[in-house]
Amino acid sequence: MSSRIRTDLAIEAEPLFRSKPSHPESLPGLRCREETRRGFSVSTVEVLDERGEAAVGKPKGRYITLELGALLRREENSFAEACALLAEELRSLLHLPDISSILVAGLGNRDITPDAVGPIAVDNLMVTRHLRSALPEYFGSFRSVCGLCSGVLGTTGIESGEIIAAVCRKVKPAAVIAVDALASRCTERLCRTVQLSDTGIVPGSGVGNARLALNEETLGVPVIAVGVPTVVDAATLAYDLIKDSGLEIDASQLASGAGLIVTPRDIDKNVRDISKLIGYGLNMALHDDLSIEDIDMFLS
Amino acid sequence: MSSRIRTDLAIEAEPLFRSKPSHPESLPGLRCREETRRGFSVSTVEVLDERGEAAVGKPKGRYITLELGALLRREENSFAEACALLAEELRSLLHLPDISSILVAGLGNRDITPDAVGPIAVDNLMVTRHLRSALPEYFGSFRSVCGLCSGVLGTTGIESGEIIAAVCRKVKPAAVIAVDALASRCTERLCRTVQLSDTGIVPGSGVGNARLALNEETLGVPVIAVGVPTVVDAATLAYDLIKDSGLEIDASQLASGAGLIVTPRDIDKNVRDISKLIGYGLNMALHDDLSIEDIDMFLS
Amino acid sequence: MSSRIRTDLAIEAEPLFRSKPSHPESLPGLRCREETRRGFSVSTVEVLDERGEAAVGKPKGRYITLELGALLRREENSFAEACALLAEELRSLLHLPDISSILVAGLGNRDITPDAVGPIAVDNLMVTRHLRSALPEYFGSFRSVCGLCSGVLGTTGIESGEIIAAVCRKVKPAAVIAVDALASRCTERLCRTVQLSDTGIVPGSGVGNARLALNEETLGVPVIAVGVPTVVDAATLAYDLIKDSGLEIDASQLASGAGLIVTPRDIDKNVRDISKLIGYGLNMALHDDLSIEDIDMFLS
Amino acid sequence: MSSRIRTDLAIEAEPLFRSKPSHPESLPGLRCREETRRGFSVSTVEVLDERGEAAVGKPKGRYITLELGALLRREENSFAEACALLAEELRSLLHLPDISSILVAGLGNRDITPDAVGPIAVDNLMVTRHLRSALPEYFGSFRSVCGLCSGVLGTTGIESGEIIAAVCRKVKPAAVIAVDALASRCTERLCRTVQLSDTGIVPGSGVGNARLALNEETLGVPVIAVGVPTVVDAATLAYDLIKDSGLEIDASQLASGAGLIVTPRDIDKNVRDISKLIGYGLNMALHDDLSIEDIDMFLS
């Protein structure tokens, strides 16, 4: 049955998901920790070796999950704090010299709301690559950042991975940051959680159409993944609801959930808001000393 | 528990939903029949008296449900056939003289995909009220049709019902056709089913914000409702899945589904397609001898 | 020829437009003045009597024009200052007791960019009418504000004026504020100028489809108009360019400009920005002590 | 002054534009002809040598202009005829073996209406590259077609030309078809004319931001350009209006037209319609024996 579980979050991998009350740190091959920073919960899962990879079903590397639920409570200044937190965590994964250039890839389909996180995040990106030479007096000291929405296989006929690899070879960034929608198994996490990792990403996994991986091996440069869960697979939800009830269930009973997703009622607005947060957090990570107002003005 | 069941379809009311294999015709106060027309399944539930009202939780009247799943199999000419079927059924509910004018109300929120059926259907409506006087040589023989998207309480501060009642008093149509999104309890029905009824509608019930009723009592003219289920309430789905498994469940276990909806993955496209079908079916019902091409040309 | 001149701005009426270097104050039936407030130019034209009406082709009343070009220079805090200025001028025209309720009408067609000012301004409106009763502890002290986008005759079959009059009779506001796109004859004013007046408005005049007037006579309550020029009529522009060159021209030479409009290249963004400003300015005029951040939070 | 004239249409180059009543065929280095096909006017300008290049300001090659004004008269079947005509002319420029694969590049900015022709045409493209292997039983005999919207420099930081060249090297199509918006000097041509050429294209010239050329030299494969004029430069229009009046004008008088464009009032709808026609015409050119209904069904 567990093969039917769909989640892209490391912290939701079966052993971590079920062991919440106990001590996940004791799992072999994994190192986990949880802390509160700037008022938000930050969980880190490090997959250390093959045992860890087997346990969470993800490659070796660091997975940082920010829980931004506080945003919803509209606490004073929480948007700015969340952007700053995202920027700090991104910098900790990127650790690049100031001068290096970055390509941000917005994965997913702009026309399908729960899949539009990547494109909308890129809409909120301060793109500077062309300005450094055109307006050196203003932008000469900015990092070179470019953005690319590669579309989806169904409408381009080309894998996202092929397009990004091709452009990467041309533009030669020092690293790629890939933004995508994810699947979660917890409805409370939808549009409220951001997972960062230094292991790259498989585009489209959030909406069930897994494609070629984007990672250091395929692109030749480090790939930082930034993902936001926007859907819960309906069959996964039903499975978890039933398990939580202490009941047994067999797989065939969930067939009717195939192809269905669970979203918040106000998914359109939620996706827009969290994608803007991603874009602003990226800007703060990639350029120094920016305020929210600076970004507003640049993008307006 | 059944108070947690959310559905706007008469054929999904508890006694009919559970009795499928048996003979629903035998339920007191109800008359049900099912037939196949133009290749589609057509179910009619007539609520005859108070016993029927209690059984299905809906007012006396006729509820016709068209199952348009065949559309998805892309059968030859199926779009045109479905429009023609919808037009025939609408005419059977309207039975109005040719000359009478009609107001079509598109209920719901255009910016929330599963709630946008009404507004998009009105986008596909041939509006003629202003053309009959402006271009009498072309449109003098057309029925007078006008369309109104009343928005939603959260963005206007005014109940849809208040706006439509006010405009109705001004425009004085012979009848109102109200188009809205509904909730179903069967995921297979999402964006594939149309329910027509002669009993009016409560706007927003599909997305869980029930408002003032639109019916002959509140508007002073007959109100035909045209509804399309676009969401399944997550808690309802879980309840039904578990019941189908022969298990018992108590209400509190479903709390985590609150505020969540289940939709098809490609809801944006599905809503656009079924809403166009509604608009075209309305046009064929309201004006004589129109082909799909005629409507294409009018709307282009 | 002057019958071919299309402008909705009082300050662009022929005698004021041509007399710029001289003293417009001396025109009989008009009182004009210009001042700088909060860094923006504010021109007021008062049409005092029939002589003034004949001179500017507009009914008696006050026409205040704010030139917000400074916004484009992205001066520190200029958005907030412009909103505050707009709010002050609106209050001077409204002079209503705190308790009175307001209906804001967003005129025009959301799907035609230069005509979308009204609907987008209403998107940025803090609508409170329904919240005062639903959440009295938070909104009990707010003014009751509702918003209505009436659509356009071509897609509804109903005049905007009919819809607004009908809803007005139902909702009974103390005043109506009608927001619409206008035509200017100066390209520099496009999307940078706001005209306020206490004389009502004729919907659609900006895009050349004049309709029933919205004013105290037709609605029974005072009507404040808020207009933004988004287009210059191509024939008007050509006429003015040629006149400015000291050349003579006759009307027939401009026929090829019929049905064409001149807009800034980035009209989509410009319309979005100025419409947001209108919405925020309305919010500050209608509710006390709001900051930009308060409005951001309410609308988010 | 002529340096201020902005047009991307070969038939509007100064000598051809002014010599209309005379015999353009006699211009050295050019061969021109005009015929009527399927009810539409088709003009061909062949630039034969350096003298022709100097005269029209465009590289050697064939420029075919289809005048599709008849579409607007809504003649019976005119959409299908226009698609078929476009397909025939495209095939005459492409003359490729059946098996060869094609990359269609949609140039321009989807968010700026008059610049959105390329992206919307690609929305209407039957993309098959990924289907030939995934569904060989259905699509094995289709030509391999892929589509790419490269975005614009201002939002990606990367030249369209760089992106397309990079992807081209990866995908290795036999030819590229580049679709873009153009500038015209005749308002009657806006959204009614299509220019095809076998000489490639400079992206963005239509909206005044010329970039790296896309042609056989830069991409390594033949590049067919498909362009639609959507704007007239305001200064160009004024210049032509004045010239047509037999008046003299000097350049400085037109400064106020800088950055302004002239469009039809209903530009949004016009761009959508002509872009759909481009997409459908491309489909008919690239795949055999398709009807409008076949394309409707594929894209739905």
Side-chain angles (χ1 to χ4, degrees):
Chain A
M1 179 57 216
S2 75
S3 70
R4 288 186 160 263
I5 294 300
R6 285 196 52 230
T7 178
D8 299 306
L9 298 182
I11 53 168
E12 292 182 352
E14 196 68 16
L16 301 177
F17 188 71
R18 295 280 160 211
S19 71
K20 265 177 196 163
S22 75
H23 304 280
E25 305 81 3
S26 61
L27 286 167
L30 296 177
R31 187 182 303 141
C32 305
R33 74 166 178 279
E34 210 175 310
E35 52 188 324
T36 298
R37 304 212 11 228
R38 291 180 177 267
F40 300 100
S41 160
V42 179
S43 308
T44 304
V45 175
E46 280 178 273
V47 177
L48 302 169
D49 56 25
E50 290 75 8
R51 292 168 307 167
E53 290 186 332
V56 303
K58 295 192 171 297
K60 266 191 292 187
R62 201 141 55 107
Y63 300 84
I64 303 171
T65 305
L66 315 179
E67 310 262 5
L68 305 176
L71 271 186
L72 299 182
R73 294 193 301 275
R74 294 188 175 184
E75 289 175 6
E76 184 74 30
N77 212 23
S78 59
F79 179 76
E81 287 294 310
C83 293
L85 174 60
L86 180 56
E88 289 162 6
E89 297 298 333
L90 267 168
R91 285 182 176 218
S92 82
L93 291 176
L94 274 169
H95 46 75
L96 288 172
D98 278 7
I99 199 65
S100 53
S101 67
I102 297 287
L103 169 62
V104 178
L107 305 176
N109 188 340
R110 185 187 290 279
D111 294 331
I112 294 182
T113 307
D115 201 23
V117 170
I120 302 177
V122 170
D123 290 345
N124 287 284
L125 187 69
M126 290 170 60
V127 163
T128 54
R129 180 173 176 262
H130 59 307
L131 298 175
R132 282 166 47 89
S133 49
L135 296 167
E137 67 281 21
Y138 291 111
F139 295 102
S141 64
F142 276 63
R143 183 192 299 277
S144 169
V145 175
C146 55
L148 184 67
C149 293
S150 49
V152 292
L153 185 62
T155 58
T156 64
I158 317 174
E159 293 267 3
S160 283
E162 290 182 275
I163 294 176
I164 294 165
V167 172
C168 217
R169 204 163 310 141
K170 185 91 178 181
V171 167
K172 300 195 198 329
V176 167
I177 299 174
V179 185
D180 202 3
L182 305 176
S184 172
R185 60 197 288 189
C186 290
T187 55
E188 315 87 65
R189 287 210 171 94
L190 296 181
C191 302
R192 301 185 195 182
T193 295
V194 180
Q195 177 179 269
L196 311 175
S197 81
D198 55 6
T199 62
I201 198 167
V202 180
S205 53
V207 289
N209 302 296
R211 305 292 170 201
L212 298 179
L214 297 177
N215 55 34
E216 183 150 10
E217 196 179 339
T218 58
L219 298 188
V221 295
V223 179
I224 305 299
V226 179
V228 175
T230 58
V231 299
V232 175
D233 180 73
T236 300
L237 179 65
Y239 175 81
D240 283 336
L241 284 171
I242 291 165
K243 280 294 240 193
D244 289 351
S245 314
L247 302 170
E248 280 311 305
I249 186 165
D250 83 271
S252 63
Q253 292 168 337
L254 295 175
S256 67
L260 294 163
I261 55 173
V262 180
T263 69
R265 206 181 292 284
D266 47 356
I267 177 80
D268 301 74
K269 177 170 165 20
N270 286 349
V271 163
R272 223 162 38 231
D273 289 351
I274 192 79
S275 305
K276 178 178 171 183
L277 189 149
I278 302 288
Y280 276 54
L282 286 175
N283 294 331
M284 289 184 175
L286 298 176
H287 308 291
D288 289 332
D289 303 322
L290 288 178
S291 67
I292 300 291
E293 289 71 31
D294 294 334
I295 302 174
D296 282 343
M297 188 165 291
F298 183 96
L299 296 176
S300 75
Chain B
M1 178 59 215
S2 75
S3 69
R4 291 190 157 259
I5 295 299
R6 285 196 51 230
T7 178
D8 298 305
L9 299 182
I11 54 169
E12 292 182 352
E14 196 68 17
L16 301 176
F17 189 70
R18 295 283 159 208
S19 72
K20 266 176 195 164
S22 75
H23 305 280
E25 304 81 3
S26 63
L27 286 167
L30 296 178
R31 187 182 304 139
C32 305
R33 74 168 179 278
E34 209 175 309
E35 53 189 322
T36 297
R37 305 211 12 228
R38 293 181 178 267
F40 301 99
S41 160
V42 179
S43 308
T44 304
V45 175
E46 281 178 89
V47 177
L48 303 169
D49 56 25
E50 291 74 8
R51 293 168 307 168
E53 289 186 332
V56 305
K58 295 193 171 296
K60 266 193 291 188
R62 201 140 55 108
Y63 300 84
I64 303 171
T65 306
L66 315 179
E67 309 262 6
L68 305 175
L71 271 187
L72 298 183
R73 295 192 300 275
R74 293 189 175 181
E75 289 175 5
E76 184 74 30
N77 212 23
S78 60
F79 179 76
E81 287 293 311
C83 293
L85 174 60
L86 180 57
E88 290 162 5
E89 298 297 333
L90 267 169
R91 284 182 177 219
S92 81
L93 291 176
L94 273 169
H95 46 75
L96 287 172
D98 278 7
I99 199 66
S100 53
S101 67
I102 297 287
L103 168 63
V104 178
L107 305 176
N109 188 340
R110 186 186 290 280
D111 295 331
I112 293 182
T113 306
D115 200 24
V117 169
I120 303 178
V122 171
D123 290 344
N124 286 284
L125 187 69
M126 290 170 60
V127 163
T128 55
R129 180 173 176 263
H130 58 307
L131 299 175
R132 281 166 48 90
S133 50
L135 296 168
E137 66 280 22
Y138 290 111
F139 295 102
S141 64
F142 275 64
R143 183 193 298 276
S144 168
V145 175
C146 56
L148 184 67
C149 293
S150 50
V152 292
L153 184 61
T155 59
T156 64
I158 317 175
E159 293 267 4
S160 284
E162 291 182 273
I163 294 176
I164 294 165
V167 173
C168 217
R169 203 162 310 143
K170 185 93 180 181
V171 166
K172 300 192 198 329
V176 167
I177 300 175
V179 185
D180 202 2
L182 305 177
S184 172
R185 60 198 286 189
C186 291
T187 56
E188 315 87 66
R189 288 209 170 95
L190 296 181
C191 302
R192 302 185 194 182
T193 295
V194 180
Q195 176 179 270
L196 310 175
S197 82
D198 55 6
T199 62
I201 197 166
V202 179
S205 52
V207 290
N209 301 298
R211 305 292 169 201
L212 298 180
L214 297 177
N215 54 36
E216 184 151 9
E217 195 178 339
T218 58
L219 298 189
V221 294
V223 179
I224 304 299
V226 179
V228 175
T230 58
V231 299
V232 175
D233 180 73
T236 299
L237 179 66
Y239 175 82
D240 282 338
L241 283 172
I242 292 166
K243 280 295 239 192
D244 290 350
S245 316
L247 303 171
E248 281 309 307
I249 185 164
D250 84 272
S252 62
Q253 292 170 336
L254 296 175
S256 68
L260 294 164
I261 55 174
V262 179
T263 69
R265 205 181 293 286
D266 46 357
I267 177 79
D268 301 74
K269 178 172 165 19
N270 287 349
V271 163
R272 221 160 42 230
D273 289 351
I274 193 78
S275 305
K276 178 178 172 182
L277 189 149
I278 303 286
Y280 276 54
L282 287 175
N283 294 330
M284 290 183 174
L286 297 177
H287 308 291
D288 288 333
D289 303 322
L290 287 179
S291 67
I292 299 290
E293 290 70 31
D294 294 334
I295 303 174
D296 283 342
M297 188 166 292
F298 183 96
L299 295 176
S300 76
Chain C
M1 178 57 215
S2 76
S3 70
R4 288 188 160 260
I5 295 300
R6 284 195 53 230
T7 178
D8 298 306
L9 298 182
I11 52 167
E12 291 182 353
E14 195 69 16
L16 301 177
F17 189 69
R18 294 283 160 208
S19 73
K20 266 176 194 163
S22 74
H23 303 281
E25 304 83 3
S26 61
L27 287 166
L30 297 177
R31 188 182 301 138
C32 306
R33 73 165 177 279
E34 210 175 310
E35 52 189 324
T36 298
R37 303 210 13 225
R38 291 179 179 268
F40 300 100
S41 160
V42 179
S43 309
T44 305
V45 174
E46 281 178 271
V47 177
L48 303 169
D49 55 25
E50 291 75 7
R51 291 167 309 167
E53 290 186 332
V56 304
K58 293 192 171 298
K60 267 192 289 187
R62 200 139 55 109
Y63 299 86
I64 303 171
T65 306
L66 314 178
E67 309 263 5
L68 305 175
L71 273 186
L72 299 182
R73 294 194 301 275
R74 294 188 173 181
E75 290 176 6
E76 183 74 30
N77 212 24
S78 59
F79 179 76
E81 288 293 310
C83 293
L85 174 61
L86 180 56
E88 289 162 5
E89 298 296 334
L90 268 168
R91 285 182 176 218
S92 81
L93 291 176
L94 274 168
H95 45 76
L96 289 171
D98 278 9
I99 200 66
S100 52
S101 68
I102 297 286
L103 168 62
V104 178
L107 305 176
N109 188 340
R110 187 186 288 280
D111 294 332
I112 294 183
T113 307
D115 200 25
V117 170
I120 303 177
V122 170
D123 290 345
N124 286 285
L125 187 70
M126 291 171 60
V127 162
T128 54
R129 179 172 176 262
H130 58 307
L131 299 175
R132 281 165 48 91
S133 50
L135 297 168
E137 66 281 22
Y138 290 111
F139 295 102
S141 65
F142 275 65
R143 183 193 299 277
S144 169
V145 175
C146 56
L148 183 67
C149 293
S150 50
V152 292
L153 184 62
T155 59
T156 64
I158 317 175
E159 293 266 4
S160 283
E162 290 182 275
I163 295 176
I164 293 165
V167 172
C168 216
R169 204 163 308 143
K170 186 89 177 183
V171 167
K172 300 195 200 327
V176 167
I177 299 175
V179 185
D180 201 2
L182 304 177
S184 172
R185 59 197 289 188
C186 292
T187 55
E188 314 86 66
R189 287 210 170 94
L190 297 181
C191 302
R192 301 184 194 180
T193 295
V194 180
Q195 177 179 270
L196 311 175
S197 80
D198 55 6
T199 61
I201 197 167
V202 179
S205 53
V207 289
N209 302 296
R211 304 292 169 202
L212 298 179
L214 297 177
N215 54 37
E216 185 150 9
E217 196 179 341
T218 58
L219 298 189
V221 295
V223 180
I224 305 299
V226 179
V228 175
T230 59
V231 299
V232 175
D233 179 72
T236 299
L237 179 65
Y239 174 81
D240 282 338
L241 283 172
I242 291 167
K243 280 294 240 193
D244 290 350
S245 315
L247 303 171
E248 281 310 305
I249 186 164
D250 83 273
S252 64
Q253 291 170 337
L254 296 174
S256 68
L260 295 164
I261 55 174
V262 180
T263 68
R265 207 180 292 284
D266 46 355
I267 177 79
D268 300 76
K269 177 171 166 19
N270 285 350
V271 162
R272 223 161 40 232
D273 289 350
I274 192 79
S275 305
K276 179 177 171 185
L277 188 149
I278 302 287
Y280 276 53
L282 287 174
N283 294 330
M284 290 184 175
L286 297 176
H287 308 292
D288 289 333
D289 303 322
L290 288 178
S291 67
I292 299 291
E293 291 69 32
D294 294 334
I295 303 174
D296 283 343
M297 189 165 290
F298 183 97
L299 296 176
S300 77
Chain D
M1 179 60 215
S2 75
S3 68
R4 288 188 159 259
I5 295 301
R6 284 197 53 230
T7 178
D8 298 306
L9 299 182
I11 53 167
E12 292 182 353
E14 194 69 15
L16 301 176
F17 188 70
R18 295 281 160 207
S19 72
K20 266 177 192 163
S22 75
H23 303 280
E25 306 81 3
S26 62
L27 287 168
L30 297 177
R31 187 182 303 139
C32 304
R33 73 167 179 279
E34 210 175 309
E35 54 190 321
T36 298
R37 306 216 6 230
R38 292 180 179 268
F40 299 100
S41 160
V42 179
S43 308
T44 305
V45 174
E46 281 178 89
V47 177
L48 303 170
D49 57 25
E50 290 76 7
R51 291 167 308 167
E53 291 186 331
V56 303
K58 293 191 172 298
K60 266 192 290 186
R62 201 141 54 110
Y63 300 85
I64 302 172
T65 306
L66 314 179
E67 309 262 5
L68 305 174
L71 272 187
L72 298 183
R73 295 193 299 275
R74 293 189 174 181
E75 289 175 6
E76 184 73 31
N77 213 23
S78 60
F79 180 75
E81 288 293 312
C83 293
L85 175 60
L86 180 56
E88 290 162 4
E89 298 297 333
L90 267 168
R91 284 182 178 219
S92 81
L93 291 177
L94 274 168
H95 46 76
L96 288 172
D98 278 9
I99 199 66
S100 53
S101 67
I102 297 287
L103 169 62
V104 177
L107 305 177
N109 188 341
R110 186 186 289 279
D111 294 331
I112 295 182
T113 306
D115 201 24
V117 169
I120 303 176
V122 170
D123 289 345
N124 286 284
L125 187 69
M126 291 171 59
V127 163
T128 54
R129 180 173 176 262
H130 59 305
L131 299 174
R132 281 165 48 89
S133 50
L135 297 168
E137 66 281 22
Y138 291 110
F139 295 102
S141 65
F142 275 64
R143 183 193 300 276
S144 168
V145 174
C146 56
L148 183 67
C149 293
S150 48
V152 291
L153 184 61
T155 59
T156 64
I158 317 175
E159 294 266 3
S160 284
E162 291 182 275
I163 294 176
I164 294 166
V167 172
C168 215
R169 204 163 307 143
K170 186 90 178 181
V171 167
K172 299 194 199 330
V176 168
I177 299 174
V179 185
D180 201 3
L182 304 178
S184 171
R185 60 197 289 188
C186 291
T187 55
E188 313 86 66
R189 287 209 170 94
L190 297 181
C191 300
R192 302 186 193 179
T193 295
V194 180
Q195 176 179 270
L196 312 175
S197 81
D198 55 6
T199 61
I201 198 167
V202 179
S205 53
V207 289
N209 302 298
R211 305 292 170 202
L212 297 180
L214 297 177
N215 54 36
E216 185 151 9
E217 196 179 340
T218 58
L219 298 188
V221 295
V223 179
I224 305 300
V226 178
V228 175
T230 58
V231 298
V232 175
D233 179 73
T236 299
L237 179 65
Y239 175 81
D240 282 338
L241 283 172
I242 291 167
K243 280 296 241 192
D244 290 351
S245 316
L247 303 171
E248 282 309 307
I249 186 165
D250 84 273
S252 63
Q253 292 170 337
L254 296 174
S256 69
L260 295 164
I261 56 174
V262 179
T263 69
R265 207 180 293 285
D266 47 356
I267 177 81
D268 300 75
K269 177 172 165 19
N270 286 348
V271 162
R272 222 161 40 231
D273 289 350
I274 193 79
S275 305
K276 178 178 172 184
L277 188 150
I278 302 286
Y280 275 53
L282 287 175
N283 294 331
M284 290 185 174
L286 297 177
H287 308 292
D288 289 332
D289 303 322
L290 288 178
S291 67
I292 299 291
E293 289 70 31
D294 294 334
I295 302 173
D296 283 343
M297 188 165 290
F298 182 98
L299 295 177
S300 77

